[in-house]
Amino acid sequence: MLTPTEKIWHNGRFIPWSEATVHVLAHVVSYGSSVFEGIRCYETPGGPAVFRLKEHVRRLCDSAKIYRMENLGFSAGQLGEAMLELVRVNRMDSCYIKPVVMRGYGDVGVNGIDNPIEIYIACWNWGKYLGEEALSEGVDVCVSSWTRMAPNTLPALAKAGANYMNSQLIKMEAVVNGYVEGIALDATGYVSEGSGENLFLVRDGKLYTPPLGASVLPGITRDAILTLARGLGISVSEQLIPREMLYIADEVFFSGTAAEITPIRSIDRITIGKGRRGPMAEQLQTEFFGIIKGARPDVHNWLSPVHVAQPVGAK
Ligand code: PPE
């Protein structure tokens, strides 16, 4: 269960955790009008550092723009600073950071354009998303009977609260049937993504992932993996993936802030590859966690240190 931290940031102020509540008639409650982010702050040799802060803040602002939340009252830079300050205020070494932008209390009815925009940022400790051994052992998943949102229904590029109603259907069905996670197809039947993760597969040494047009969230971990793979000289292809390509892949793995790089060892009870973490997932994990743990230089500037470096000799 969730362990509270001391403070939550709300519209520019730090408030006690227990006071970060919304009214039952806030627009977001009935109509799902929120956009949010999930960001990890890691304990690194240089102190706590946030992974790809700029990209997450940018996606938050993009999601808001898609839903006509034009004026957030804070610049991207200010929001990023607020997240770093929140980690400092709560004295966290590592944590998961969740900024939420929502339409609040005011008018009633579907059109929430005049309701106030409320921004909250919370952080807490969040362990392994798909189980303790998932990263080394891999997980058992299914293809969902639910599909991802069709284009022109709910925009998949926005990380909106409402999209997670679809994710919940995928996740609950999977768990009830004894799987850890579900993989959804898009409305045309091609592979899309997990309920809370992007998906990659490997065949004959090549790495494949569905394109942004396949109703996927433009994952920031997905982008990191594509960048790392290209750096390793691995051939990468963003292309439509038919469902059956999953079953005959040498490796399949999930990517996400929460899931990081999680190998998949079976899909619909069909063993994938050797039924455990494959060499490419392991190699990419080594690169990914290498940057976070300081074993690899942060050449892409992916880490934002939480504490400003003290000048040498400072007390
Ligand atoms: N697809 C979906 C649907 C998704 O929710 C996530 C993140 C991703 C792909 C991966 O995106 P990125 O984190 O930028 O690499 N899902 C978040 C967990 C959702 C939850 O609250 O549970 C996450 O990984 O933080």
Side-chain angles (χ1 to χ4, degrees):
M1 285 305 252
L2 180 57
T3 308
T5 54
E6 216 172 291
K7 301 281 189 200
I8 287 178
W9 185 96
H10 176 222
N11 294 349
R13 300 189 304 123
F14 288 98
I15 59 172
W17 175 279
S18 58
E19 286 173 24
T21 54
V22 292
H23 194 277
V24 68
L25 287 181
H27 192 269
V28 61
V29 176
S30 290
Y31 305 113
S33 44
S34 69
V35 296
F36 69 102
E37 272 304 315
I39 309 169
R40 271 194 197 269
C41 172
Y42 287 100
E43 195 174 346
T44 76
V50 177
F51 187 70
R52 307 205 70 179
L53 177 63
K54 225 173 82 196
E55 291 83 353
H56 281 285
V57 172
R58 182 180 186 204
R59 190 173 64 187
L60 181 69
C61 296
D62 287 349
S63 300
K65 186 171 187 188
I66 291 168
Y67 279 99
R68 300 183 188 274
M69 296 167 166
E70 289 289 355
N71 186 9
L72 300 184
F74 298 90
S75 67
Q78 286 172 321
L79 291 172
E81 235 349 281
M83 293 174 208
L84 295 172
E85 184 62 19
L86 179 73
V87 179
R88 287 193 287 266
V89 163
N90 285 321
R91 298 182 298 277
M92 307 298 280
D93 295 324
S94 64
C95 58
Y96 186 84
I97 306 168
K98 175 176 277 196
V100 188
V101 177
M102 64 179 78
R103 294 200 191 274
Y105 175 85
D107 208 354
V108 284
V110 168
N111 184 4
I113 211 106
D114 291 328
N115 289 48
I117 302 269
E118 307 279 351
I119 311 180
Y120 290 89
I121 311 170
C123 74
W124 65 88
N125 261 318
W126 206 2
K128 297 299 168 205
Y129 191 58
L130 298 175
E132 271 314 310
E133 312 220 296
L135 269 68
S136 54
E137 302 297 314
V139 290
D140 302 304
V141 309
C142 60
V143 172
S144 184
S145 70
W146 295 100
T147 65
R148 222 58 188 124
M149 300 78 69
N152 253 346
T153 61
L154 291 167
L157 296 195
K159 191 171 172 74
N163 290 358
Y164 288 83
M165 290 303 277
N166 174 261
S167 288
Q168 288 175 55
L169 292 170
I170 295 162
K171 183 79 178 190
M172 290 188 294
E173 181 192 54
V175 171
V176 161
N177 289 328
Y179 300 99
V180 166
E181 180 59 289
I183 297 170
L185 307 179
D186 69 12
T188 61
Y190 289 99
V191 173
S192 179
E193 62 179 351
S195 78
E197 311 86 3
N198 292 113
L199 186 125
F200 285 85
L201 71 81
V202 180
R203 184 158 160 113
D204 295 334
K206 288 188 189 161
L207 188 59
Y208 298 86
T209 196
L212 295 189
S215 298
V216 303
L217 185 75
I220 289 159
T221 320
R222 174 186 182 276
D223 177 77
I225 288 170
L226 290 171
T227 303
L228 292 173
R230 287 189 183 109
L232 292 166
I234 296 166
S235 145
V236 300
S237 173
E238 295 176 62
Q239 62 160 76
L240 290 176
I241 296 175
R243 171 178 181 165
E244 61 276 21
M245 208 164 148
L246 294 171
Y247 303 128
I248 57 174
D250 300 321
E251 297 183 37
V252 184
F253 56 87
F254 283 134
S255 76
T257 299
E260 297 167 317
I261 300 172
T262 299
I264 293 171
R265 63 184 176 195
S266 77
I267 303 174
D268 299 331
R269 307 285 178 221
I270 298 174
T271 302
I272 304 305
K274 298 211 161 66
R276 52 183 150 84
R277 175 174 62 190
M280 195 175 302
E282 190 167 357
Q283 190 183 16
L284 289 163
Q285 283 178 342
T286 303
E287 295 298 316
F288 181 81
F289 291 114
I291 290 174
I292 290 156
K293 293 187 177 136
R296 297 269 193 283
D298 179 18
V299 288
H300 306 289
N301 254 318
W302 284 343
L303 295 171
S304 295
V306 167
H307 300 291
V308 181
Q310 294 288 313
V312 180
K315 290 240 164 75

